[in-house]
Amino acid sequence: MPVHRPETVPITLAEREIRLITDVLRHAAAECSAVTTPSEPSDAALDGGVTLGRLTVQWQGIVGEQMRHEGTGLLSVSQNREAWYQVRAALSDHAAQASRDVELAGLDADAPARRRAHDALLLADRIAEASHGW
Protein backbone atom coordinates (compact mmCIF):
# COMPACT_ATOMS: atom_id res chain seq x y z
CA MET A 1 0.00 0.00 0.00
CA PRO A 2 1.56 3.31 -1.03
CA VAL A 3 2.20 5.87 1.67
CA HIS A 4 0.37 9.13 1.07
CA ARG A 5 -0.01 12.38 2.89
CA PRO A 6 -3.51 13.07 4.24
CA GLU A 7 -4.13 15.76 1.62
CA THR A 8 -3.43 13.39 -1.26
CA VAL A 9 -5.85 10.94 -2.80
CA PRO A 10 -4.51 7.65 -4.22
CA ILE A 11 -6.38 6.20 -7.18
CA THR A 12 -5.48 2.91 -8.84
CA LEU A 13 -5.37 3.26 -12.61
CA ALA A 14 -4.74 0.86 -15.46
CA GLU A 15 -1.84 1.51 -17.82
CA ARG A 16 -4.18 2.56 -20.67
CA GLU A 17 -5.90 5.05 -18.32
CA ILE A 18 -2.56 6.51 -17.31
CA ARG A 19 -1.57 6.87 -20.95
CA LEU A 20 -4.89 8.55 -21.74
CA ILE A 21 -4.49 11.04 -18.89
CA THR A 22 -0.89 11.79 -19.84
CA ASP A 23 -1.82 12.34 -23.51
CA VAL A 24 -4.80 14.53 -22.60
CA LEU A 25 -2.72 16.64 -20.20
CA ARG A 26 0.05 17.02 -22.77
CA HIS A 27 -2.50 18.17 -25.37
CA ALA A 28 -4.23 20.54 -22.92
CA ALA A 29 -0.90 22.12 -21.92
CA ALA A 30 0.05 22.58 -25.57
CA GLU A 31 -3.32 24.21 -26.36
CA CYS A 32 -2.92 26.82 -23.66
CA SER A 33 0.83 27.21 -24.20
CA ALA A 34 1.52 26.08 -20.64
CA VAL A 35 5.14 25.81 -19.67
CA THR A 36 5.88 22.10 -19.32
CA THR A 37 9.45 22.45 -18.15
CA PRO A 38 9.15 24.07 -14.72
CA SER A 39 12.31 24.80 -12.77
CA GLU A 40 11.56 22.10 -10.21
CA PRO A 41 12.17 18.42 -11.03
CA SER A 42 9.33 16.28 -12.38
CA ASP A 43 9.01 14.46 -9.06
CA ALA A 44 8.45 17.68 -7.11
CA ALA A 45 5.17 17.98 -5.24
CA LEU A 46 2.51 20.29 -6.59
CA ASP A 47 2.53 22.26 -3.33
CA GLY A 48 3.57 25.41 -5.18
CA GLY A 49 0.28 25.34 -7.08
CA VAL A 50 -1.28 23.09 -9.66
CA THR A 51 -0.82 24.23 -13.23
CA LEU A 52 -1.32 22.27 -16.43
CA GLY A 53 2.39 22.59 -17.12
CA ARG A 54 3.45 21.20 -13.74
CA LEU A 55 0.80 18.50 -13.84
CA THR A 56 1.85 17.43 -17.32
CA VAL A 57 5.50 17.21 -16.31
CA GLN A 58 4.57 15.21 -13.24
CA TRP A 59 2.44 12.71 -15.18
CA GLN A 60 5.06 12.34 -17.92
CA GLY A 61 7.91 11.92 -15.47
CA ILE A 62 6.88 10.34 -12.22
CA VAL A 63 3.95 8.28 -13.40
CA GLY A 64 5.89 7.11 -16.44
CA GLU A 65 8.83 6.08 -14.27
CA GLN A 66 6.56 4.27 -11.81
CA MET A 67 4.87 2.39 -14.66
CA ARG A 68 8.23 1.09 -15.85
CA HIS A 69 9.13 -0.17 -12.38
CA GLU A 70 5.76 -1.59 -11.36
CA GLY A 71 5.12 -3.59 -14.53
CA THR A 72 1.75 -4.87 -13.27
CA GLY A 73 -0.47 -2.82 -15.56
CA LEU A 74 -2.00 -1.14 -12.50
CA LEU A 75 -0.56 1.77 -10.56
CA SER A 76 -1.77 3.72 -7.55
CA VAL A 77 -1.30 7.40 -8.34
CA SER A 78 -1.55 9.93 -5.51
CA GLN A 79 -2.46 13.53 -6.26
CA ASN A 80 -3.94 16.31 -4.19
CA ARG A 81 -7.59 17.22 -4.74
CA GLU A 82 -6.77 20.21 -6.92
CA ALA A 83 -4.60 18.08 -9.19
CA TRP A 84 -7.34 15.45 -9.56
CA TYR A 85 -9.80 18.24 -10.32
CA GLN A 86 -7.50 19.50 -13.09
CA VAL A 87 -7.14 15.97 -14.48
CA ARG A 88 -10.92 15.55 -14.53
CA ALA A 89 -11.39 18.94 -16.18
CA ALA A 90 -8.84 18.09 -18.88
CA LEU A 91 -10.50 14.71 -19.51
CA SER A 92 -13.95 16.30 -19.75
CA ASP A 93 -12.72 19.02 -22.09
CA HIS A 94 -10.98 16.44 -24.26
CA ALA A 95 -14.17 14.38 -24.46
CA ALA A 96 -16.21 17.43 -25.46
CA GLN A 97 -13.73 18.43 -28.17
CA ALA A 98 -13.44 14.89 -29.52
CA SER A 99 -17.23 14.45 -29.59
CA ARG A 100 -17.66 17.74 -31.43
CA ASP A 101 -14.99 16.77 -33.96
CA VAL A 102 -16.63 13.38 -34.51
CA GLU A 103 -20.04 14.99 -35.08
CA LEU A 104 -18.58 17.57 -37.48
CA ALA A 105 -16.79 14.84 -39.42
CA GLY A 106 -19.90 12.65 -39.48
CA LEU A 107 -18.05 9.61 -38.13
CA ASP A 108 -19.92 6.54 -36.92
CA ALA A 109 -20.33 5.38 -33.33
CA ASP A 110 -17.38 2.98 -33.61
CA ALA A 111 -14.90 5.70 -34.56
CA PRO A 112 -11.73 5.59 -32.41
CA ALA A 113 -12.15 9.28 -31.53
CA ARG A 114 -15.67 8.64 -30.22
CA ARG A 115 -14.47 5.65 -28.16
CA ARG A 116 -11.63 7.77 -26.75
CA ALA A 117 -14.09 10.54 -25.81
CA HIS A 118 -16.30 7.97 -24.09
CA ASP A 119 -13.31 6.50 -22.22
CA ALA A 120 -12.23 9.99 -21.12
CA LEU A 121 -15.69 10.73 -19.68
CA LEU A 122 -15.88 7.40 -17.88
CA LEU A 123 -12.44 7.96 -16.40
CA ALA A 124 -13.33 11.50 -15.29
CA ASP A 125 -16.41 10.10 -13.52
CA ARG A 126 -14.40 7.33 -11.87
CA ILE A 127 -11.80 9.82 -10.62
CA ALA A 128 -14.57 12.06 -9.26
CA GLU A 129 -16.09 9.13 -7.36
CA ALA A 130 -12.75 7.91 -6.04
CA SER A 131 -11.59 11.34 -4.89
CA HIS A 132 -14.92 12.38 -3.36
CA GLY A 133 -14.65 10.21 -0.27
CA TRP A 134 -11.23 11.44 0.82
Side-chain angles (χ1 to χ4, degrees):
M1 186 81 169
V3 176
H4 65 278
R5 296 178 295 168
E7 66 273 6
T8 64
V9 178
I11 298 177
T12 301
L13 300 167
E15 185 176 335
R16 64 178 178 74
E17 294 170 325
I18 292 168
R19 290 188 194 289
L20 176 60
I21 291 170
T22 304
D23 290 345
V24 166
L25 288 173
R26 189 179 307 123
H27 182 73
E31 277 189 333
C32 71
S33 300
V35 176
T36 56
T37 54
S39 58
E40 62 267 5
S42 65
D43 62 349
L46 297 173
D47 297 335
V50 177
T51 66
L52 277 175
R54 286 182 180 156
L55 201 54
T56 301
V57 168
Q58 187 180 53
W59 277 82
Q60 289 177 163
I62 298 204
V63 173
E65 186 64 29
Q66 287 175 332
M67 278 177 41
R68 283 189 286 281
H69 291 298
E70 296 285 326
T72 62
L74 294 175
L75 179 67
S76 180
V77 179
S78 293
Q79 300 279 276
N80 66 33
R81 290 182 186 278
E82 185 181 357
W84 282 124
Y85 177 82
Q86 292 295 334
V87 169
R88 289 188 347 247
L91 287 167
S92 295
D93 184 61
H94 171 77
Q97 287 181 24
S99 294
R100 183 194 67 229
D101 293 346
V102 165
E103 289 299 319
L104 291 174
L107 299 175
D108 63 20
D110 291 331
R114 188 178 299 269
R115 284 194 307 272
R116 185 173 164 103
H118 182 260
D119 291 347
L121 281 179
L122 288 177
L123 183 53
D125 284 346
R126 193 163 76 79
I127 290 170
E129 288 175 16
S131 63
H132 180 70
W134 286 83

